[in-house]
């Protein structure tokens, strides 16, 4: 997949990248907007939910206080105290309650409607007084109540109220209970000596609590659950959401808090608050209900993302065309150049990165054309110089065979001097041709100038002396073919040949600082500055220097070849004055046979 993308055109890559970046930025901003809005809504609802739990807390605390206060006034009344001490019958007590000073207390109970069931027990098994406003009937016996955990806990509180859920398992107070209730019970003691006189049970219907204390605080989408001190559910209202694992979230040491959790497969915003009596109030709102308000924001974000993508498409196509058009022109020009149009150039309008690339391309094309032209001219000069060196177009094998025949004829005639000259000349020809290669080893070049100077020494009748001091450790290095012989030949022609008493030629070579250094020194007649300028001045590219004074490569040809192959890595220096001889210094970079191919473009011919 990645290779497919990278093989696409720059224009298509640019369009894809712009679209991806636009989509990424749009989706990121949309997601950020959505989550921020969701967080703000949850925070606001959390604050609102906390207010609801505080209202429920206040209402339930008020309910507990009002019922506890009424029960306190009721059990401390003289009528109730006297009835429990004298063990009056149920009818006598009821008559006394509604006709005496307690009538106002009983009227308050009936008017407020806070209690739905009351049972007052003395020492007898049946209650002294019982009232049920919801149709419940059948009071439980005091013997059963005394053996229960509820009575034990109530006794332990020593007169304080004990609230608890009334379930089928712990309901010992009402045989036929018509509605769900929560219960409250207290021990009754004498106002005279504190003696335990009896027991009172008060039942409050769940529906009574919902109607009087939880009204307008819940609905089918919002749920309330009230737990007692031990975490046992007392009453629920609205949405059914409670599960036992929610209790653990309220045990973090905080009096109130809001958390996001999951219960019964639904994500909820759960807010809790703890009352002074130890009850825990839970208030739940489904997260899905809150996020419904974000549907419009979600739709808006999606529309914005689609609009950004649609708008970025023509923009990316325009920008990609502006950027890729110069590159495309450059590519077309490069293809034309590959097909041999060396005059190809691209028009550069601007100085940006693509413009600089175009300028570099133009310079590269011009340089390649120059190198091609130079290589062609240089190859032509080498061909002509080799033909000049052979002095004819005789087949080399035929020439070697003829020289070999002359050698044996001279041997038979006893002309050892002639035979030595012939064999030396034959070896010289072999080395000069070098199989058509432009480079040779320093060892072969040293052997070539040794043979050349031997022949010249025979020619000068021993008026010429020479010395070649090139160490053997340089023999394996490579240099340009016949790059020393022209300077030696120049020393003989312009120096020693015109000196009657003859002279000497010294050739030295050494290695220093990554370069090979050569010097060619003679004690000839020297040269003037004009002569030096004449022999070293380069002619036009189309000229081939073939003066009759040169037996091999002319000085100008070798200078041009040095410049072509070594560029600015070589150094050539002439030192000469009339009557004082001449010294030529040549410095070229070290080159091995492995590096020769990089310098010799004619090596494969």
């Amino acid at each position: 997949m990645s290779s497919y993308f990278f093989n696409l055109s720059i224009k298509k890559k640019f369009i894809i990248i712009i679209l991806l970046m636009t989509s990424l930025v749009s989706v990121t901003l949309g997601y950020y907007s959505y989550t921020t809005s969701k967080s703000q809504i949850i925070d606001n609802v959390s604050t609102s939910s906390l207010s609801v739990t505080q209202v429920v807390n206040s209402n339930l605390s008020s309910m507990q206080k009002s019922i506890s206060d009424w029960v306190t006034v009721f059990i401390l009344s003289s009528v109730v105290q006297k009835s429990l001490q004298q063990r009056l019958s149920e009818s006598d007590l009821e008559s006394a309650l509604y006709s005496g000073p307690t009538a106002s207390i009983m009227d308050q109970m009936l008017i407020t409607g806070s209690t739905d069931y009351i049972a007052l027990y003395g020492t007898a098994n049946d209650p002294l007084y019982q009232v049920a406003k919801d149709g419940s009937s059948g009071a439980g016996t005091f013997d059963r109540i005394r053996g229960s955990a509820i009575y034990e806990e109530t006794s332990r509180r020593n007169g304080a109220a004990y609230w608890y859920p009334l379930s089928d398992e712990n309901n010992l107070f009402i045989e036929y209970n018509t509605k769900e209730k929560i219960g409250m019970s207290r021990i009754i003691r004498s106002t005279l000596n504190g003696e335990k006189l009896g027991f009172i049970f008060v039942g409050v219907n769940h529906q009574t609590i919902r109607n009087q204390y939880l009204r307008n605080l819940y609905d089918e989408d919002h749920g309330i659950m009230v737990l007692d001190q031990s975490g046992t559910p007392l009453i629920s209202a609205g949405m059914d959401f409670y599960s036992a694992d929610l209790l653990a979230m309220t045990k973090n040491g905080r009096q109130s808090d809001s958390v996001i959790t999951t219960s019964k497969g639904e994500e909820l915003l759960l807010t809790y608050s703890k009352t002074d009596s130890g009850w825990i109030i839970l208030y739940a709102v489904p997260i899905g209900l809150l996020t419904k308000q974000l549907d419009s924001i979600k739709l808006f974000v999606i529309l914005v993302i689609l609009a950004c993508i649609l708008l970025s498409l023509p923009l990316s196509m325009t920008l990609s065309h502006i950027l890729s058009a110069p590159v495309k022109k450059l590519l077309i020009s490069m293809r034309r150049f590959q097909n041999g149009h060396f005059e190809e150039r691209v028009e550069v309008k601007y100085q940006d990165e693509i413009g600089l690339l175009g300028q570099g391309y133009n310079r590269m094309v011009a340089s390649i054309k120059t190198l091609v032209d130079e290589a062609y001219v240089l190859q032509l000069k080498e061909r002509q110089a080799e033909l000049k060196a052979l002095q004819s177009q005789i087949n080399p094998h035929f020439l070697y065979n003829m020289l070999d025949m002359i050698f044996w004829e001279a041997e038979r005639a006893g002309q050892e001097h002639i035979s030595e000259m012939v064999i030396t000349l034959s070896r010289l020809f072999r080395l000069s041709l070098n199989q058509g290669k432009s480079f040779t080893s320093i060892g072969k070049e040293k052997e070539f100038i040794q043979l050349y100077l031997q022949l010249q020494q025979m020619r000068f009748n021993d008026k010429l002396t020479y010395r070649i001091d090139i160490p053997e450790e340089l023999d394996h290095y490579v240099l340009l073919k016949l790059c020393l012989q022209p300077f030696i030949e120049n020393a003989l022609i312009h120096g020693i040949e015109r000196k009657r008493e003859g002279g000497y030629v010294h050739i030295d070579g050494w290695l220093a600082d990554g370069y090979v250094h050569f010097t060619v020194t003679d004690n000839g007649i020297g040269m003037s500055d004009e002569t030096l300028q004449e022999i070293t001045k380069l002619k036009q590219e189309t000229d081939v220097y073939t003066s009759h004074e040169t037996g091999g490569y002319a000085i100008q040809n070798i200078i041009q070849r040095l410049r072509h192959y070594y560029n600015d890595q070589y150094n050539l220096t002439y030192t000469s004055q009339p009557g004082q001889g001449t010294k030529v210094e040549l410095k070229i970079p070290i080159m091995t046979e492995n590096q020769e191919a990089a310098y010799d473009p004619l090596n494969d011919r």
Side-chain angles (χ1 to χ4, degrees), residues 370-371 373-378 381-382 438-439 479-483 487 536-543 554-572 586-589 591 598-601:
T370 301
L371 290 174
D373 292 343
E374 288 180 353
Y376 175 76
V377 172
L378 185 63
K381 289 184 178 181
E382 285 194 346
S438 299
F439 286 81
L479 80 168
L480 191 63
K481 179 182 70 176
L482 301 179
C483 72
F487 303 116
T536 58
K537 180 180 180 181
L538 295 178
K539 304 297 183 180
Q540 296 296 323
E541 292 290 336
T542 55
D543 291 344
I555 297 298
Q556 293 177 5
N557 276 350
I558 190 58
I559 291 175
Q560 193 172 36
R561 292 174 67 228
L562 287 170
R563 186 181 70 173
H564 176 77
Y565 286 109
Y566 294 117
N567 295 319
D568 57 352
Q569 293 182 299
Y570 83 97
N571 185 55
L572 178 65
L586 175 63
K587 182 178 75 171
I588 59 175
M591 186 191 308
Y599 283 84
D600 188 3

Side-chain angles (χ1 to χ4, degrees), residues 34-177:
Y34 179 80
T35 53
T36 302
S37 301
K38 180 180 178 180
S39 177
Q40 290 177 349
I41 290 176
I42 290 176
D43 290 343
N44 293 336
V45 173
S46 177
T47 302
S48 176
S49 297
L50 189 59
S51 299
V52 171
T53 61
Q54 291 173 351
V55 170
V56 174
N57 183 358
S58 176
N59 292 348
L60 293 181
S61 297
S62 176
M63 177 196 74
Q64 288 179 285
K65 186 177 183 305
S66 64
I67 294 177
S68 295
D69 290 346
W70 183 89
V71 170
T72 300
V73 173
F74 177 74
I75 64 177
L76 293 179
S77 67
S78 59
V79 174
V80 174
Q81 288 282 316
K82 183 179 179 181
S83 299
L84 292 174
Q85 292 172 2
Q86 297 180 358
R87 296 179 176 83
L88 297 179
S89 65
E90 181 179 354
S91 59
D92 293 338
L93 176 60
E94 185 174 356
S95 175
L97 287 174
Y98 288 100
S99 61
T102 57
S104 60
I105 299 175
M106 304 308 293
D107 290 340
Q108 181 185 1
M109 177 195 67
L110 295 174
I111 294 171
T112 58
S114 299
T115 58
D116 296 292
Y117 183 88
I118 299 174
L120 177 65
Y121 292 88
T123 57
N125 205 25
D126 295 326
L128 290 175
Y129 173 75
Q130 175 191 8
V131 60
K133 296 189 295 184
D134 61 353
S136 299
S137 61
T141 62
F142 194 37
D143 289 341
R144 291 182 60 195
I145 295 173
R146 270 195 297 259
S148 67
I150 293 176
Y151 183 82
E152 182 181 351
E153 178 64 23
T154 304
S155 298
R156 190 185 65 79
R157 292 175 180 255
N158 197 25
Y162 173 44
W163 293 86
Y164 46 87
L166 192 64
S167 63
D168 293 337
E169 291 77 13
N170 66 1
N171 182 13
L172 305 174
F173 307 98
I174 308 171
E175 292 185 5
Y176 303 104
N177 185 26

Side-chain angles (χ1 to χ4, degrees), residues 1-8 13:
M1 185 64 183
S2 59
S3 60
Y4 173 78
F5 173 77
F6 287 113
N7 288 328
L8 294 175
K13 289 179 186 175

